[in-house]
Amino acid sequence: MPDLRVIVQPSLTKIGAALGRADVAGFVAEKVRELAFRIEREAKRQTPVDRGGLRESIVPTILPLGARIAPHVPYAFWIHEGWTRRGGRVVRIQGRGA
């Protein structure tokens, strides 16, 4: 699945001084965390469900000033692209994929 990457590397100390906030890093970390869980919720909402394994495997990894939300099953790419295996054949999933 494609990754969404947002990289921000300003001086948080300078930003904090300009905004009058001492803990800008904490503020940014909390907003990243909130956004990561919103993205996780939406990803799970849009995930097709057969037995639920793919949906359950979508978890956020929260980093100090970033997050990664990704599924952890080997077939996630196939489902994302709209393909699956049925009876040993690769078939298109109707209404799914890019």
Side-chain angles (χ1 to χ4, degrees):
M1 299 189 110
D3 285 343
L4 171 64
R5 294 176 192 241
V6 178
I7 300 172
V8 180
Q9 297 177 325
S11 167
L12 294 178
T13 307
K14 289 180 183 177
I15 292 173
L19 296 175
R21 292 187 70 107
D23 186 24
V24 173
F27 174 76
V28 171
E30 181 58 32
K31 293 303 172 187
V32 165
R33 181 178 158 81
E34 288 174 16
L35 184 57
F37 286 116
R38 287 176 58 190
I39 292 170
E40 175 197 20
R41 191 168 43 250
E42 182 61 20
K44 286 182 175 183
R45 189 185 70 74
Q46 291 187 24
T47 300
V49 178
D50 186 10
R51 291 179 299 227
L54 176 59
R55 183 177 283 178
E56 289 175 10
S57 79
I58 299 172
V59 293
T61 303
I62 308 297
L63 305 169
L65 291 177
R68 178 180 178 153
I69 300 91
H72 298 284
V73 291
Y75 56 88
F77 173 79
W78 287 86
I79 299 299
H80 181 267
E81 296 302 314
W83 299 93
T84 190
R85 289 191 184 273
R86 298 257 165 86
R89 302 177 332 175
V90 175
V91 296
R92 184 99 174 123
I93 300 169
Q94 290 215 329
R96 293 288 175 197

